[in-house]
Amino acid sequence: MKGRLTFRNATEEDLAIIVEMLADDELGRQRERIEHPIPSTYMKAFQAIKADSNNELIVACCGEKVSGVAQITFTPYLTYQGGWRATIEGVRTSSSVRGKGIGTALIKWGINRAKERGCHLVQLTTNRKRKDALRFYEHLGFKATHEGLKLNLN
Amino acid sequence: MKGRLTFRNATEEDLAIIVEMLADDELGRQRERIEHPIPSTYMKAFQAIKADSNNELIVACCGEKVSGVAQITFTPYLTYQGGWRATIEGVRTSSSVRGKGIGTALIKWGINRAKERGCHLVQLTTNRKRKDALRFYEHLGFKATHEGLKLNLN
């Protein structure tokens, strides 16, 4: 792993490498579209994320190289006496640096960011097909107390 | 059930009855605080929800009476080629009208709202302790494909 690991908000220039990471696993391959330049739908979504103060797209960089990505959404709820929650989604690390602790560092960074934003809870869902992911998150202290349900509208 | 069932955005005046609904089950009782007037943290969260165009707090009304509540969060993601998702949380119906299909109508309303907002997916998590909820959502077409993980920060 070359260089120090740092975290920052993603920029437009990071989009192509982020989409490559999203596409680089069994589930992502079926969902994403790798073209050059990248399809404009990604750019539109990026602009919407950037414009929303309750959404942050974070990249982990080894030196200059973008090696991990995660999106954090901060949401105010009435439940828990009006508590804010952080939801983490779209977590990926580059396959070239896998097993080097970047995913762990990225989630820990997200947890700290959630604390900074005054959240009482961090939540995420993980597809049961991603066998290692559940262990990974439980190791970080998450409890699998909930069923995660999805309804496809397409 | 008196009167027609309608749906609208919650107002400040609905807050006390919404908090009562949130507190009126085994899990909610441990989390919420019923006082008159209601604790200011609920009002603060309500204002934050109201100020955020990607959050909607919806009430179901039987005639004039608020009988159900749900929060919908619309989130732009890079995944799925830059798709928007709707997340439904904090779904409750008044115990006095339970079993009359208000919960079903409320979720169906949320699904339609998600379509209107251009979402490709509706997602939610439900605590495994709420035994009937999983069946309820599966009946509405949701698939329990994911583990729902939570990390408490308090």
Side-chain angles (χ1 to χ4, degrees):
Chain A
M1 193 165 103
K2 276 179 189 160
R4 209 163 57 91
L5 192 63
T6 53
F7 301 90
R8 61 170 171 79
N9 285 294
T11 68
E12 242 177 80
E13 288 67 40
D14 303 320
L15 267 184
I17 190 163
I18 291 174
V19 173
E20 272 176 38
M21 283 192 283
L22 294 177
D24 187 23
D25 81 353
E26 204 186 320
L27 296 174
R29 235 181 308 281
Q30 303 159 32
R31 297 172 184 168
E32 309 306 337
R33 224 170 93 211
I34 301 275
E35 284 168 20
H36 302 282
I38 58 167
S40 61
T41 53
Y42 289 110
M43 182 60 77
K44 241 174 117 179
F46 174 76
Q47 297 297 354
I49 293 166
K50 201 176 149 186
D52 184 345
S53 62
N54 288 332
N55 270 287
E56 294 180 2
L57 187 69
I58 304 301
V59 287
C61 300
C62 300
E64 296 291 302
K65 197 177 174 322
V66 171
S67 303
V69 65
Q71 183 170 337
I72 316 179
T73 306
F74 306 100
T75 312
Y77 284 112
L78 287 186
T79 49
Y80 288 87
Q81 303 180 30
W84 282 73
R85 298 184 188 195
T87 304
I88 301 181
E89 272 280 353
V91 179
R92 300 288 190 286
T93 54
S94 169
S95 53
S96 63
V97 293
R98 227 159 264 167
K100 294 195 159 77
I102 292 174
T104 299
L106 182 56
I107 298 300
K108 283 186 175 170
W109 191 92
I111 292 167
N112 279 328
R113 185 74 188 112
K115 287 179 185 168
E116 273 176 16
R117 287 279 305 236
C119 297
H120 71 96
L121 196 82
V122 180
Q123 61 185 17
L124 54 87
T125 67
T126 180
N127 195 306
R128 295 205 172 110
K129 290 181 186 164
R130 300 193 201 277
K131 298 285 179 205
D132 296 337
L134 178 62
R135 246 194 329 262
F136 168 76
Y137 289 116
E138 285 183 332
H139 191 72
L140 281 158
F142 286 83
K143 309 278 182 213
T145 50
H146 285 61
E147 301 279 348
L149 294 117
K150 312 272 169 177
L151 176 72
N152 204 318
L153 299 180
N154 293 338
Chain B
M1 193 163 103
K2 276 180 192 160
R4 208 163 58 90
L5 193 62
T6 54
F7 301 90
R8 60 170 172 81
N9 285 294
T11 67
E12 243 176 78
E13 287 67 40
D14 303 320
L15 266 185
I17 191 164
I18 292 173
V19 173
E20 270 175 40
M21 283 192 282
L22 295 177
D24 187 22
D25 80 355
E26 204 186 321
L27 295 175
R29 233 181 309 279
Q30 302 160 33
R31 297 171 182 168
E32 309 306 337
R33 224 171 92 210
I34 301 274
E35 285 169 19
H36 302 282
I38 57 166
S40 62
T41 52
Y42 289 110
M43 182 59 77
K44 241 174 117 177
F46 174 76
Q47 297 297 354
I49 294 166
K50 201 176 150 187
D52 182 346
S53 62
N54 287 332
N55 270 289
E56 294 180 2
L57 187 69
I58 305 300
V59 287
C61 301
C62 299
E64 297 290 303
K65 196 179 174 323
V66 172
S67 303
V69 64
Q71 183 170 336
I72 316 179
T73 306
F74 305 101
T75 313
Y77 284 112
L78 288 185
T79 49
Y80 288 88
Q81 303 180 33
W84 282 72
R85 299 184 189 195
T87 304
I88 301 181
E89 272 280 353
V91 179
R92 300 289 189 286
T93 54
S94 168
S95 54
S96 63
V97 294
R98 226 160 265 167
K100 295 195 156 81
I102 292 174
T104 299
L106 182 57
I107 298 299
K108 284 186 175 170
W109 191 93
I111 293 168
N112 280 329
R113 184 74 188 113
K115 287 179 185 168
E116 274 176 15
R117 287 280 306 238
C119 297
H120 71 96
L121 195 82
V122 181
Q123 61 186 14
L124 55 86
T125 67
T126 179
N127 195 307
R128 295 207 172 108
K129 289 181 187 163
R130 299 194 201 278
K131 299 285 180 205
D132 297 335
L134 177 63
R135 247 194 329 263
F136 169 77
Y137 289 116
E138 285 182 331
H139 192 73
L140 281 158
F142 286 83
K143 309 278 181 211
T145 50
H146 285 61
E147 301 278 349
L149 294 115
K150 311 273 169 176
L151 176 71
N152 204 319
L153 298 181
N154 294 338

